[in-house]
Amino acid sequence: MNKINRRSFIKIAGAATAASAIGFPMIAAAAGKKQVVIVGGGTAGATAAKYIRRADASVEVTLIEPNKNYYTCFMSNEVLGGERKLDSLKFGYDGLRKHGVTVVHDTVTAIDAKGQKVTTQGGKSFSYDRCIVAPGISFVDNIEGYDAAAAAMEKMPHAWKAGPQTALLRKQLEAMADGGTVLIAPPPNPFRCPPGPYERACQIASYLKANKPKSKILILDKKDKFSKQGLFTQAWDRHYKGMIDWVKAADTGGGVMRVDARTGKVFTEFDEYTPAVANIIPAQVAGSIAKVAGLTDDSGWCPVTGKTFESTIHKGIHVIGDAAIQAPLPKSGYAANSEAKVVAAAVVDLVNGREPGTPSWVNTCYSIVAPNDGISVAMVYNLVDGKVAKVAGSGGLTPMDSSPEERAREVQYAYSWFNNITSDIFG
Amino acid sequence: MSARKTLAVLLGSGLLLGTAQLSAAPTASMLADTCAGCHGTDGASTGPATPSLAGMSEVYMVDSMKAFKSGERYSTIMGRIAKGYSEEEFKLMASVFAKQPVATTSQKTDATKVAAGEKLFGKNCEKCHDEKGGLADDDAGILYSQWLPYLQYTMEDYKAGSREMPKKMKKKVDKLSDAEIEALLQFFASQQ
């Protein structure tokens, strides 16, 4: 009769602790395992979940993500070019489950930083010792008539979150007649995947060149310069001469201002266009839960510390991936994966009462500009005076004068990067 | 890598001596984990071209990274990244990969070439690339089950002079035809 089972022992121990150390706040945590809740199962969130479990299997990790599958945004331009099927970008969460991550398919509706609790649409509530928020991006209505929640998205797909939007844009490209114009409207800074719109122009041009050679691509930018500009301009001239016209923001009074989804018309301040296909990519901010949880500042993105990416607004919550203000790290897949590992190590240290170690990050970003022509940019980052900094002398771009053989290798390394990073995230 | 393993690595390499400078160095796993995006988790690459680092000897990896950094060894991208690290950091990274078992890949290879390669291997390569190119103690690159495009790029670079061959290797390679070299590479790639 005097047998004490584990649960009643914990209760007794808890009561004793409460009686002897009044005000000790974490009785439940002292009795149980450390809890980490991760909001969002994209590149950053999924990587963090896996790497926390690898570092300390005693930490319980719950990852909350609405979708059963994730489509990587990276390499999705190859789907538009016809080089790749959408299914090759699709990843599930069984790999994370094998690492002991509890994956919950639900939508987070609130994060209570004071109560250290996450609640979901499904009515569930999850307590945490540390919370990691990785919600990616959401869109801003910066273009009149292009309401991200409305029908315009179906007429003029952004395809900036991969999946159905990617399939839709590809379908429109397949359906267009030869001789039409594909209009691409890249977003203003900062945005996910800075070289993405310009690689997209290459991939679409590659498809058009082979199938609809009289067609053109018009890029009406919200910026006056862009990532890897010299290399992209070289590729356009080399592979798609006369097909791609890039117009900087200064020449149109700020790029695309308004669209009419019903008529298919696109407007800048002075001109109107009737493209065969319109790819409108709106301005971006952190994924919507970040704002709901009060993690964003006036910029719409989440301010964080350099060392552990802990929110400077709410203690105990770390924001990683595209949603964080992480510059000089870019909003790229590699950076999200790299940030996630640094934060995973920091969170394991913090829940175990240790001071987090010194971080180290890398970014590598490939763009495939033609079937055998790849370019890249890379950089190593460290922590200087509490902030993320580029390591002087490291990184840089593919040289402008690299040979066709070198460019072909970069394509093979780009595919290797895709295979390796996706298995590092989801495998 | 677990925290305990990391600690073991640091103790083993004599890095926990408590000086201020060392307390600021990232851990070995912190550094090595940044490689995974291109070289696979724990250095086991899923291919098709980026080489696996798993099981590579520390000496070989540190030498390679130094050569990438200085430009002495040609690369498309590795040299740009190598410029971001110190030799001490290369040693830390290398200590992680040296502890991993050599990775096994499953690649399409040509059985006739593999058989021809096996014969050539015994005569030409085995002394320095023992256990079919999988023995780290040789302080040579891991060739066992290595990705074929990477092996091919490497031989192209050796022949073009953009990477210097060890003298003993050059003597052997100079006597082999392109077809024989291809057979050897297929032999290494086919190992499972």
Side-chain angles (χ1 to χ4, degrees):
Chain A
M1 282 295 145
N2 284 331
K3 238 164 118 185
I4 297 174
N5 66 24
R6 188 173 166 270
R7 185 171 295 177
S8 62
F9 172 77
I10 288 167
K11 270 189 194 161
I12 293 163
T17 311
S20 63
I22 293 161
F24 189 75
M26 293 297 290
I27 292 163
K33 290 181 171 179
K34 299 294 179 186
Q35 303 287 338
V36 175
V37 175
I38 301 177
V39 180
T43 300
T47 305
K50 173 175 166 177
Y51 272 77
I52 288 172
R53 295 286 305 170
R54 272 166 57 92
D56 185 348
S58 76
V59 177
E60 291 197 342
V61 177
T62 304
L63 182 133
I64 309 172
E65 159 62 43
N67 300 310
K68 294 265 162 77
N69 292 295
Y70 181 78
Y71 290 88
T72 64
C73 202
F74 44 88
M75 284 293 175
S76 68
N77 283 333
E78 274 212 335
V79 175
L80 302 178
E83 289 285 319
R84 175 182 283 275
K85 294 273 174 254
L86 186 59
D87 258 4
S88 71
L89 309 178
K90 182 176 157 184
F91 296 89
Y93 294 95
D94 286 347
L96 292 185
R97 290 189 181 97
K98 281 184 193 143
H99 288 283
V101 176
T102 303
V103 181
V104 177
H105 292 298
D106 203 342
T107 302
V108 172
T109 48
I111 304 171
D112 172 7
K114 278 217 178 82
Q116 292 179 258
K117 206 172 68 184
V118 169
T119 45
T120 66
Q121 208 166 52
K124 290 192 188 115
S125 157
F126 302 87
S127 294
Y128 64 80
D129 294 289
R130 289 269 155 187
C131 180
I132 297 175
V133 177
I137 55 161
S138 58
F139 296 114
V140 176
D141 295 334
N142 67 319
I143 293 169
E144 195 190 331
Y146 195 87
D147 179 348
M153 243 170 76
E154 298 303 312
K155 286 276 174 61
M156 300 176 171
H158 53 76
W160 218 244
K161 289 181 183 178
Q165 278 276 305
T166 316
L168 180 62
L169 183 54
R170 171 66 190 169
K171 219 170 117 190
Q172 291 185 354
L173 292 167
E174 283 172 351
M176 74 176 262
D178 191 7
T181 296
V182 177
L183 189 150
I184 301 174
N189 289 323
F191 64 106
R192 159 180 287 179
C193 190
Y198 315 96
E199 182 199 49
R200 174 168 290 183
C202 295
Q203 286 289 333
I204 293 175
S206 174
Y207 166 73
L208 295 176
K209 189 178 168 184
N211 298 281
K212 290 153 192 177
K214 284 181 272 177
S215 309
K216 303 255 189 253
I217 296 173
L218 175 63
I219 308 171
L220 296 177
D221 215 324
K222 288 267 183 197
K223 305 178 290 298
D224 290 333
K225 56 181 185 173
F226 58 88
S227 170
K228 303 178 186 166
Q229 187 162 352
L231 287 161
F232 277 119
T233 307
Q234 181 192 56
W236 295 345
D237 191 52
R238 189 179 281 175
H239 303 291
Y240 316 111
K241 203 165 180 60
M243 284 183 79
I244 300 175
D245 191 12
W246 175 73
V247 185
K248 63 175 187 267
D251 292 348
T252 59
V256 172
M257 295 295 184
R258 181 163 75 87
V259 298
D260 185 338
R262 197 180 48 81
T263 60
K265 283 189 172 19
V266 174
F267 304 86
T268 59
E269 194 169 344
F270 308 111
D271 295 304
E272 73 168 68
Y273 304 84
T274 313
V277 174
N279 169 215
I280 306 293
I281 310 166
Q284 294 153 34
V285 291
S288 52
I289 184 63
K291 190 174 181 187
V292 172
L295 293 163
T296 53
D297 68 12
D298 289 347
S299 71
W301 304 95
C302 304
V304 292
T305 67
K307 188 171 180 184
T308 68
F309 277 50
E310 185 168 8
S311 167
T312 56
I313 301 171
H314 288 306
K315 291 259 176 296
I317 301 176
H318 304 256
V319 185
I320 52 175
D322 293 344
I325 298 173
Q326 76 233 108
L329 276 158
K331 296 192 186 301
S332 75
Y334 206 119
N337 174 263
S338 188
E339 290 161 23
K341 290 174 196 174
V342 171
V343 168
V347 161
V348 167
D349 281 336
L350 287 164
V351 298
N352 285 300
R354 297 187 300 256
E355 171 66 21
T358 302
S360 177
W361 302 270
V362 168
N363 178 58
T364 296
C365 167
Y366 285 100
S367 303
I368 300 177
V369 299
N372 270 312
D373 191 345
I375 58 175
S376 59
V377 64
M379 186 60 65
V380 182
Y381 303 85
N382 62 2
L383 191 74
V384 177
D385 297 332
K387 288 184 181 141
V388 182
K390 294 178 180 180
V391 174
S394 77
L397 293 156
T398 297
M400 286 288 280
D401 60 354
S402 63
S403 68
E405 291 75 22
E406 291 172 298
R407 296 295 186 88
R409 281 192 196 184
E410 292 226 54
V411 172
Q412 292 311 308
Y413 287 139
Y415 291 146
S416 302
W417 163 78
F418 178 78
N419 291 341
N420 278 303
I421 200 163
T422 53
S423 71
D424 194 47
I425 299 163
F426 296 105
Chain B
M1 181 186 272
S2 70
R4 184 177 294 175
K5 272 191 202 158
T6 308
L7 188 65
V9 167
L10 291 173
L11 287 170
S13 54
L15 279 165
L16 275 190
L17 300 173
T19 70
Q21 190 199 352
L22 290 178
S23 68
T27 63
S29 61
M30 171 68 75
L31 289 163
D33 285 347
T34 65
C35 311
C38 293
H39 292 278
T41 308
D42 296 324
S45 173
T46 53
T50 317
S52 287
L53 310 176
M56 194 176 269
S57 89
E58 272 186 58
V59 170
Y60 176 80
M61 184 158 171
V62 172
D63 283 352
S64 298
M65 293 308 290
K66 281 163 70 181
F68 280 130
K69 185 177 177 175
S70 70
E72 181 192 327
R73 178 171 168 185
Y74 161 80
S75 66
T76 53
I77 192 167
M78 198 69 253
R80 288 183 255 156
I81 295 169
K83 287 190 177 101
Y85 301 100
S86 66
E87 184 169 346
E88 211 46 58
E89 287 170 326
F90 290 150
K91 281 182 187 163
L92 286 167
M93 283 176 203
S95 73
V96 173
F97 298 115
K99 283 189 181 59
Q100 304 300 326
V102 172
T104 306
T105 60
S106 179
Q107 303 176 66
K108 222 174 114 185
T109 46
D110 177 327
T112 316
K113 287 180 184 170
V114 169
E118 184 161 20
K119 282 183 195 154
L120 291 161
F121 167 74
K123 271 186 244 165
N124 296 283
C125 319
E126 198 169 8
K127 257 190 178 171
C128 301
H129 296 281
D130 203 0
E131 292 180 11
K132 299 174 177 176
L135 184 68
D137 289 348
D138 287 335
D139 289 333
I142 294 293
L143 309 181
Y144 181 94
S145 208
Q146 191 56 276
W147 289 102
L148 186 57
Y150 170 73
L151 295 172
Q152 290 165 335
Y153 297 160
T154 304
M155 286 313 295
E156 282 170 24
D157 294 345
Y158 275 139
K159 297 198 107 182
S162 53
R163 181 179 173 187
E164 200 184 345
M165 259 189 278
K167 272 188 193 131
K168 278 185 204 162
M169 180 170 167
K170 191 171 182 336
K171 257 188 179 169
K172 300 275 188 189
V173 168
D174 283 350
K175 287 179 195 152
L176 296 170
S177 69
D178 286 352
E180 285 173 321
I181 288 171
E182 176 62 16
L184 273 166
L185 303 186
Q186 295 255 348
F187 165 72
F188 288 122
S190 73
Q191 298 307 315
Q192 293 202 27

